[in-house]
Amino acid sequence: MSNPTTLAGLTLPNPVLVASGCGGTGRELTPYLGEDGLAGLGGFVTRSISLDPRPGARQPRVVETPSGLLHAEGANPGLEPFLATELPWLVRSGTRVIVSITGRTLGEHAELARLLGRAPGLSAIEVGVSGEPFHAASLVAAVVRDLPRGLPVLAKLRPDLLRVVETARAVLEAGAAAVVLADAQAAALPDGRPAGLSGPAIRPVALRCVTEVCAALPDAQVVGAGGITTAADARSFLDAGAVAVQLGTALLHDPTTAARIAAELT
């Protein structure tokens, strides 16, 4: 399983990463990854971590659709328990640990970055951004400002076809080392509560975002994400200019998908 790639200054053994929220704490996924475990993948993005614990949306928070999954906000233990238990285990696993962070304000994001910057073994931070390019850039700048030099930030963007290039340019100029295209599409659960739509339904949209950003910003490092379930899907994103891909919904159906695609890409 050797197909090294470089992402945001990090050398990864292959271009396949686990997307945020789709690999549990890492322990749940490891039995399905072969003898190398998480270390055999390109990297592991944690579930999104906030300063304080969050119980998550009420059930049901995941609903299957004909071509994807609807999912509401999930639970997380908060930063302190995460630093005490999940992060040390992930670092010991040998994988490249990318911590996804979430906050309600710029200040919360900055505080998360400041505290995580002291944690040993961290490879990068991922932050989801949406809205106007100016606000997305302000959020990335707040995170970058409080991190140690050399710890890269990945900005994960919603699949906004109208302004995706503009937003990607803004967050890169604000200090992001790479952009992840794309995050879940804004949607609603059957009872009307807000949710994200992921899976094959958004793959063509995510691929178009990758294609447009790579064409307009040829020096940008782009990670493709959105409904990738086969090696052919992954290759389409890599052929469009992405340097790596993230797998999410596919792992919920078949947790062996990440190891299988990584092997098939070699």
Side-chain angles (χ1 to χ4, degrees), residues 98-262:
I98 300 169
V99 178
S100 173
I101 62 172
T102 181
R104 295 183 177 87
T105 65
L106 288 181
E108 286 188 11
H109 283 91
E111 180 68 359
L112 281 161
R114 186 180 67 80
L115 296 171
L116 278 166
R118 303 172 182 171
L122 210 65
S123 293
I125 282 179
E126 181 180 277
V127 57
V129 296
S130 59
E132 294 294 315
F134 172 77
H135 295 294
S138 297
L139 178 56
V140 169
V143 172
V144 171
R145 186 167 51 243
D146 283 308
L147 282 178
R149 186 180 297 275
L151 189 60
V153 172
L154 280 57
K156 191 169 187 177
L157 277 58
R158 282 277 174 86
D160 179 352
L161 289 175
L162 296 179
R163 306 188 75 175
V164 66
V165 170
E166 184 182 356
T167 306
R169 181 183 289 111
V171 298
L172 290 167
E173 290 177 350
V179 292
V180 182
L181 299 168
D183 206 341
Q185 175 70 56
L189 292 165
D191 61 9
R193 287 179 291 146
L197 174 64
S198 299
I202 71 164
R203 186 170 60 241
V205 181
L207 182 58
R208 179 174 168 182
C209 290
V210 169
T211 301
E212 292 194 353
V213 169
C214 289
L217 307 172
D219 294 331
Q221 289 224 305
V222 174
V223 179
I228 296 172
T229 60
T230 67
D233 295 339
R235 285 195 185 95
S236 68
F237 280 83
L238 298 173
D239 290 345
V243 298
V245 295
Q246 289 187 2
L247 304 188
T249 304
L251 300 176
L252 305 180
H253 288 282
D254 178 3
T256 68
T257 304
R260 175 171 49 79
I261 290 180

